[in-house]
Amino acid sequence: MVPALRYLGSACGRARGGFPGACGPASGRPWSLCRGGRSASTSSFDIVIVGGGIVGLASARTLILRHPTLSIGVLEKEKDLAVHQTGHNSGVIHSGIYYKPESLKAKLCVQGAALIYEYCNQKGISYKQCGKLIVAVEQEEIPRLQALYERGLQNGVQGLRLIQQEDIKKKEPYCRGLMAIDCPYTGIVDYRQVALSFAQDFQEAGGSVLTSFEVKDIEMAKESPSRSKDGMKYPIVIKNTKGDEIRCQYVLTCAGLYSDRISELSGCSPDPQIVPFRGDYLLLKPEKCYLVKGNIYPVPDSRLPFLGVHFTPRMDGNIWLGPNAVLAFKREGYRPFDFNARDVMDILKNSGFIKLVFQNFSYGVNEMYKACFLGTTVKHLQKFIPEITISDILSTCSFK
């Protein structure tokens, strides 16, 4: 147990003040969403996880199931859990076909898909294993498609096969294409529902979730709190924007779009720094949803950082079309005109972003153009399903 905790600490680095291995602090009761029945004080924990999204909740769940004697708390700045990246994504259970063979991403994606299906089956969480077609619509795309197919085989993706035009029509009657990869293991799920199930598991095992606790500072305590029986057992102090404190021995930060800033608060490096991009999807009218049965994706261009526009069925029965990829002017801004001055200044100072702009300037301009002119995006979609028209589009929705 101790080595595991030390490992977690070293992953975080040192809190300001030089404590080797984590970060934590102080008090506050009004923001408890639900507490587990632990004997430890609710203002101090052995381990604190900052961030109540799916990553933070999955980490908290795993920690408490492996180490049930520890007191563990999750801090979330919003009043509800999993409302940002976890609740703003396409909901696709990816199979692992895209990543470089033997890479950690490839291994985790393939293993993660199997585990998410297993977990959903155990918990009765609805999902659809609706599959995916990666479709070549131009002759020049076929070599890239075949290379992607070989990559998927190397990664161990289940059920892959290359199919021709006639089989494309069997899978997706309204889709045109020369050749496609049929990836039946791809699915869709509501990831917020999964995250809330993780939270329930965590709390039932004795963990505590504290909402409306926005972390403002992480530092080392200079002395033990007054009337403390534990002395300096919990040397890390985490303060929120209201002046409340939580104390702990170790801290694990899973702060999503604020990961770099929270890392810096703990005395660690803020690199890699976050540059926010927003993806705008179009919504297909309900009466036109028969045009799409499963996920339909283009053949990706390895020179570009995004997969391109695609067709995504949702658990609620809707069909999302897109996304484009446009620079966001606020980290958690889901609307086109959301703006935060500090976020914008951080973007402009980011050398990595400047490099990205120069390397993908024409692509970025094209994405901005598509965001402004609906017809341009529809033309891309018509390469795959010619029957779709501008009048079939209901509205737009955004995700991060």
Side-chain angles (χ1 to χ4, degrees):
M1 179 168 66
V2 174
L5 290 177
R6 284 179 178 166
Y7 172 76
L8 283 173
S10 64
C12 170
R14 296 174 181 265
R16 288 203 308 280
F19 182 75
C23 329
S27 83
R29 303 187 179 220
W31 9 263
S32 174
L33 175 69
C34 180
R35 305 188 195 282
R38 309 204 66 77
S39 59
S41 166
T42 55
S43 63
S44 60
F45 299 92
D46 295 314
I47 303 174
V48 162
I49 291 93
V50 178
I54 196 167
V55 175
L57 294 169
S59 300
R61 175 183 179 273
T62 297
L63 279 170
I64 204 164
L65 292 179
R66 291 184 181 180
H67 307 287
T69 61
L70 295 179
S71 59
I72 303 175
V74 171
L75 307 181
E76 167 55 42
K77 70 175 181 177
E78 306 292 356
K79 64 180 181 179
D80 298 311
L81 296 171
V83 297
H84 286 295
Q85 284 182 289
T86 305
H88 287 84
N89 61 75
S90 63
V92 176
I93 303 173
H94 285 287
S95 60
I97 192 173
Y98 295 108
Y99 302 119
K100 181 180 178 181
E102 300 301 320
S103 67
L104 186 59
K105 280 186 175 182
K107 293 176 181 177
L108 291 180
C109 193
V110 172
Q111 294 172 12
L115 289 172
I116 199 72
Y117 285 131
E118 179 182 345
Y119 183 80
C120 289
N121 286 331
Q122 290 176 353
K123 297 293 180 176
I125 297 173
S126 297
Y127 66 87
K128 296 177 183 177
Q129 196 171 318
C130 53
K132 173 170 66 178
L133 292 184
I134 304 173
V135 183
V137 295
E138 305 289 347
Q139 195 70 36
E140 63 185 27
E141 296 175 328
I142 290 179
R144 299 206 313 267
L145 184 77
Q146 292 171 328
L148 186 62
Y149 171 71
E150 294 299 328
R151 172 172 285 195
L153 293 180
Q154 292 179 61
N155 288 343
V157 178
Q158 297 184 27
L160 288 185
R161 62 188 185 117
L162 278 174
I163 60 175
Q164 307 298 323
Q165 288 178 318
E166 57 273 15
D167 288 322
I168 292 174
K169 288 294 185 182
K170 291 177 183 178
K171 298 282 292 188
E172 294 285 351
Y174 297 93
C175 179
R176 64 176 288 268
L178 303 176
M179 183 182 293
I181 298 174
D182 179 14
C183 188
Y185 204 59
T186 299
I188 56 173
V189 73
D190 182 342
Y191 280 113
R192 185 164 189 261
Q193 187 178 359
V194 175
L196 294 179
S197 182
F198 287 165
Q200 183 177 352
D201 294 344
F202 171 65
Q203 292 171 30
E204 288 176 352
S208 297
V209 175
L210 308 176
T211 57
S212 300
F213 193 106
E214 183 175 357
V215 173
K216 180 183 180 181
D217 195 20
I218 302 173
E219 62 184 12
M220 295 306 303
K222 296 178 176 62
E223 59 184 21
S224 60
S226 59
R227 298 185 299 276
S228 171
K229 297 179 181 179
D230 297 319
M232 290 293 283
K233 180 181 178 182
Y234 304 104
I236 303 167
V237 182
I238 303 177
K239 297 179 181 179
N240 71 4
T241 53
K242 300 174 185 177
D244 300 311
E245 296 182 351
I246 290 289
R247 285 182 175 262
C248 64
Q249 295 186 53
Y250 297 89
V251 66
L252 179 62
T253 63
C254 305
L257 289 166
Y258 286 87
S259 296
D260 53 347
R261 292 182 185 170
I262 297 298
S263 176
E264 192 169 23
L265 285 181
S266 72
C268 303
S269 170
D271 295 326
Q273 296 180 24
I274 301 293
V275 175
F277 279 79
R278 188 185 71 253
D280 292 325
Y281 279 94
L282 303 175
L283 191 63
L284 195 61
K285 286 183 177 180
E287 59 267 28
K288 291 291 184 174
C289 286
Y290 68 87
L291 293 172
V292 180
K293 294 185 178 298
N295 294 277
I296 303 174
Y297 277 61
V299 180
D301 188 336
S302 59
R303 298 170 299 175
L304 302 175
F306 305 105
L307 291 176
V309 295
H310 44 267
F311 301 76
T312 305
R314 301 279 293 175
M315 288 301 297
D316 59 7
N318 286 321
I319 303 293
W320 282 9
L321 314 172
N324 57 25
V326 295
L327 184 67
F329 299 111
K330 183 179 179 181
R331 291 199 175 197
E332 292 171 343
Y334 306 110
R335 296 168 298 184
F337 298 104
D338 286 342
F339 180 86
N340 180 278
R342 181 184 175 186
D343 293 346
V344 172
M345 288 303 298
D346 282 352
I347 292 170
L348 296 177
K349 292 186 297 183
N350 190 301
S351 59
F353 170 70
I354 303 301
K355 182 178 179 181
L356 178 70
V357 169
F358 279 109
Q359 289 179 340
N360 302 278
F361 182 77
S362 60
Y363 180 83
V365 170
N366 185 52
E367 290 297 295
M368 295 293 291
Y369 186 82
K370 286 194 296 182
C372 296
F373 297 97
L374 175 61
T376 306
T377 301
V378 172
K379 284 183 180 179
H380 282 272
L381 296 167
Q382 288 172 338
K383 292 180 180 180
F384 301 90
I385 299 183
E387 285 83 354
I388 287 180
T389 66
I390 291 179
S391 62
D392 295 330
I393 306 303
L394 186 62
S395 63
T396 62
C397 46
S398 297
F399 86 115
K400 206 47 124 259

